[in-house]
Amino acid sequence: MGRDTRRSRLVIVALLVAAFTLITLDYKTGRSATGARGVVHSALGGVEDGVSAVFRPIGHTVSSLAHPNRYHDRADRLAQENARLRRDLADDRTITQTGKELADLRLLANKGQYTMVPARVIAIGDVTGTDWTVTINAGKDDGIATDKTVLNADGLVGTVASVTAHTAVVRLVCDPNSRIGARLERTQLLGAVAGGQGPSTLVFTVYDASFRVQKGDRLTTFGSLDYVAGVPIGEVTKVTDVGGLSRTAEVRPYVSVGTLDLVGVIVGRPTIDPGDRLLSPQPAPPEPTATAPAPAPEATLVPDAAASPGATAQGATGTQGATGTQGATGTQGGVG
């Protein structure tokens, strides 16, 4: 019994050595070899495949334990590549958005015949309610001076409050100290727009209190020594009556100060007042719907005289219906 076990072990060891030998030859020369090696491979091919299937995962495991950082490095490289692709995609979106905003500013400048310097908001001032300002990345070296009008593609942003060589502070239109002359689109009435009610509300005061302001009226700047004319400001949302006169109104500005990015500083005035050209076209009023003609009244059916003898006196219309009683009296009914 012991001799058979020892012999079996020797046979298994010999088979394993042969299998490993064939695996090594496979990696070096491939499976196209002929001759004695081909004969041995055909004889022991099954054993080789079985041993390879058993020991290949073990070899991979040993390799991963021997080189633990190889897979971590690959994961790090993939993460870095993913981050780079995300940055490239974000940069492409930013470039596309900036190009659109520049095109909108150029269109606005062409409509108003303004000379404009584009700039980007780089800082926000104290917006606690007493000071609403932003800082832009353009200054004296770019031709910007104080009191210049600042706008974006939506409308009026504010005016330049202070300037350095390469930056400028812009006082927003909603600042409590901001007061800008305005004109109503519908009636061309003049007034002033002031801040101090928060970022989304302005107060418009008309100079002539005998004229009424209506909800939905739109305002633009009328121009002065400090700012240019024709820049859209906002729309009246609520009218306040003072002693029966509509002198003040709340205005919703077109510009959202919370999303300011690309702006334009007007450094050259137009030769002619642009008026209301920069306002977006008003939607066309709905067409009146045609009213359908009223249906004709239904005809009154006359009861059958044979079915209702007593109703013959009422069968006639008008005054004849009242004389029907004579048709039932003696010979007069026959003379009819």
Side-chain angles (χ1 to χ4, degrees):
M1 178 66 68
R3 182 178 301 176
D4 293 337
T5 303
R6 186 179 304 170
R7 184 178 301 172
S8 300
R9 291 177 180 176
L10 292 176
V11 171
I12 293 173
V13 171
L15 291 175
L16 290 175
V17 171
F20 279 116
T21 303
L22 292 176
I23 292 173
T24 303
L25 291 175
D26 279 339
Y27 280 116
K28 291 183 178 181
T29 61
R31 292 183 176 270
S32 60
T34 57
R37 179 188 170 279
V39 174
V40 175
H41 180 274
S42 61
L44 301 178
V47 177
E48 175 191 351
D49 294 337
V51 173
S52 299
V54 172
F55 285 95
R56 185 177 295 113
I58 298 176
H60 290 169
T61 303
V62 173
S63 177
S64 63
L65 292 177
H67 305 282
N69 295 328
R70 182 173 61 184
Y71 297 102
H72 294 292
D73 293 342
R74 177 174 175 79
D76 292 340
R77 288 195 302 271
L78 291 176
Q80 293 174 1
E81 182 69 14
N82 188 26
R84 186 186 64 79
L85 292 175
R86 288 178 180 273
R87 286 194 301 269
D88 293 343
L89 182 60
D91 292 341
D92 291 341
R93 291 176 179 173
T94 301
I95 292 172
T96 302
Q97 181 65 24
T98 302
K100 180 181 181 303
E101 292 177 354
L102 283 172
D104 293 340
L105 275 179
R106 187 179 298 109
L107 179 62
L108 208 64
N110 292 337
K111 285 184 178 180
Q113 298 299 309
Y114 303 136
T115 302
M116 192 180 303
V117 174
R120 190 177 294 279
V121 174
I122 58 175
I124 300 176
D126 181 15
V127 290
T128 58
T130 59
D131 183 23
W132 289 83
T133 60
V134 295
T135 302
I136 60 176
N137 62 349
K140 290 181 181 179
D141 292 352
D142 303 294
I144 296 176
T146 56
D147 297 328
K148 295 297 183 182
T149 305
V150 183
L151 50 77
N152 67 359
D154 297 323
L156 181 65
V157 173
T159 56
V160 177
S162 62
V163 61
T164 65
H166 303 290
T167 62
V169 176
V170 178
R171 178 181 291 112
L172 300 178
V173 66
C174 62
D175 185 273
N177 296 320
S178 174
R179 187 175 179 86
I180 297 175
R183 179 182 61 220
L184 288 174
E185 173 195 18
R186 181 176 55 87
T187 60
Q188 301 299 305
L189 292 177
L190 301 181
V193 168
Q197 304 297 318
S200 58
T201 303
L202 305 174
V203 176
F204 173 68
T205 304
V206 65
Y207 292 149
D208 189 349
S210 62
F211 293 91
R212 296 187 64 86
V213 182
Q214 296 183 7
K215 182 179 179 180
D217 286 344
R218 301 191 296 179
L219 290 87
T220 61
T221 59
F222 69 75
S224 70
L225 294 177
D226 298 334
Y227 45 87
V228 299
V231 180
I233 298 176
E235 182 177 323
V236 174
T237 57
K238 181 181 179 182
V239 179
T240 305
D241 290 335
V242 179
L245 300 176
S246 302
R247 187 178 180 184
T248 62
E250 293 183 0
V251 177
R252 176 183 57 82
Y254 290 132
V255 173
S256 175
V257 299
T259 58
L260 284 177
D261 184 19
L262 190 69
V263 299
V265 183
I266 299 177
V267 296
R269 294 173 171 272
T271 57
I272 301 176
D273 188 340
D276 300 326
R277 286 201 304 253
L278 274 70
L279 289 171
S280 59
Q282 289 276 29
E287 297 181 358
T289 57
T291 56
E298 297 181 359
T300 305
L301 298 178
V302 178
D304 190 0
S308 179
T312 56
Q314 300 176 356
T317 61
T319 58
Q320 293 180 358
T323 60
T325 55
Q326 297 179 359
T329 60
T331 58
Q332 293 179 357
V335 176

